[in-house]
Amino acid sequence: QVQLKESGPGLVQPSQTLSLTCTVSGFSLTSNSVHWVRQPPGKGLEWVGVIWSGGSTDYNSTLKSRLSISRDTSKSQVFLKMNSLQAEDAAIYFCAITIAAIFDSWGQGVMVAVSS
Amino acid sequence: DIQMTQSPSFLSASVGDRVTINCKASQNINKYLDWYQQKLGEAPKLLIYNTNNLHTGIPSRFSGSGSGTDFTLTISSLQPEDVATYFCLQHNSGWTFGGGTKLELK
C-alpha cells in the first residue's frame, strides 16, 4: 500500500530556510517520481517541484531560485528545502507521487506558518 | 507556462441537480487534464484523469469531457457527500492547477 507522510517544523521565521521531509512506503523512489505541491490557507494548489525516479529535479519557475529537492533512497525519504521564506510561503505542503504524470497518491500534508 | 482558468469559483446547487465545472487552458493541452476533489482538511482525491477516465472507486455520476483547451467536469446528480472544492490540473506541459470551484448545497 502506497503511503506518503510529510513532516517538518510548523513555524519558520521570515528569511529563514524551510526544511520538509516526505517519508514514503509501498513503493521505491527509484521507480516513481515524488512531487511537492502547496496550498496557502483558503487558496488553490500550486505545483512546487519534482524529483524524478532517476534523481533529477524540476522546479516551479517562480520558486526555482530558492528551492532544492533531494532524496535518500535508503531511507525512502524526499526532502524539500526552500530558503528566504516569506509570508506568502505559508501553506500546507503536500508530497505526492505520479503515475504516467497523474497524481495518484498524496500525503496528508504539513502546515507551515511563517512568522517571527 | 500554461495557465488554467477554472469557473465558476463558487457554486451552490441542490441535491439531485446536474452540476458542471469548467476549465480553460491558455494553450492546447490535448487530453491531459485531470479533476480532483478536496474536502476540508484533506488531501486532493483524483476523480477523472486524461479528460474522461473515471478513477478507480469513483461513482459514475462523475464524468469529464473536452479537448484541446476547454474541459468540463459534470456531476449528473449531486449528492450531499459531493460538497467539496474541485480542481482541474493540466499535465501536458509541467503541471498547473486551476483556481478551484467551491461547491456547496443550496
Side-chain angles (χ1 to χ4, degrees), chain A residues 38-94:
Chain A
R38 69 180 184 178
Q39 185 171 36
K43 295 188 178 181
L45 297 157
E46 180 182 33
W47 180 77
V48 172
V50 59
I51 185 162
W52 299 100
S53 56
S56 62
T57 53
D58 281 307
Y59 302 127
N60 184 315
S61 58
T62 64
L63 303 172
K64 189 173 184 176
S65 63
R66 302 191 290 130
L67 185 61
S68 173
I69 298 175
S70 60
R71 69 184 186 184
D72 183 334
T73 56
S74 68
K75 294 183 178 179
S76 293
Q77 291 181 324
V78 174
F79 310 105
L80 177 149
K81 289 189 187 299
M82 184 183 299
N83 59 32
S84 303
L85 228 61
Q86 300 301 320
E88 54 266 30
D89 295 312
I92 299 173
Y93 285 74
F94 296 97

Side-chain angles (χ1 to χ4, degrees), chain B residues 44-87:
Chain B
K45 173 183 170 184
L46 178 65
L47 299 174
I48 304 280
Y49 64 95
N50 292 342
T51 297
N52 57 9
N53 295 278
L54 198 64
H55 189 50
T56 305
I58 303 302
S60 59
R61 64 179 179 274
F62 291 93
S63 64
S65 62
S67 65
T69 60
D70 293 286
F71 300 85
T72 299
L73 172 71
T74 300
I75 307 173
S76 60
S77 178
L78 186 67
Q79 300 302 303
E81 60 267 31
D82 300 335
V83 169
T85 299
Y86 293 82
F87 294 95

Side-chain angles (χ1 to χ4, degrees), chain A residues 35 37 39 43-47 50 52 60-61 94 98 100-104 106-109, chain B residues 1 34 36 38 41-46 49-50 55 87 89 91 94-100:
Chain A
H35 298 246
V37 174
Q39 185 171 36
K43 295 188 178 181
L45 297 157
E46 180 182 33
W47 180 77
V50 59
W52 299 100
N60 184 315
S61 58
F94 296 97
T98 52
I102 296 164
F103 283 93
D104 186 78
W106 299 66
Q108 62 190 22
Chain B
D1 291 1
D34 309 326
Y36 291 83
Q38 187 179 32
E42 298 181 4
K45 173 183 170 184
L46 178 65
Y49 64 95
N50 292 342
H55 189 50
F87 294 95
L89 168 66
H91 56 91
W95 289 266
T96 314
F97 290 91

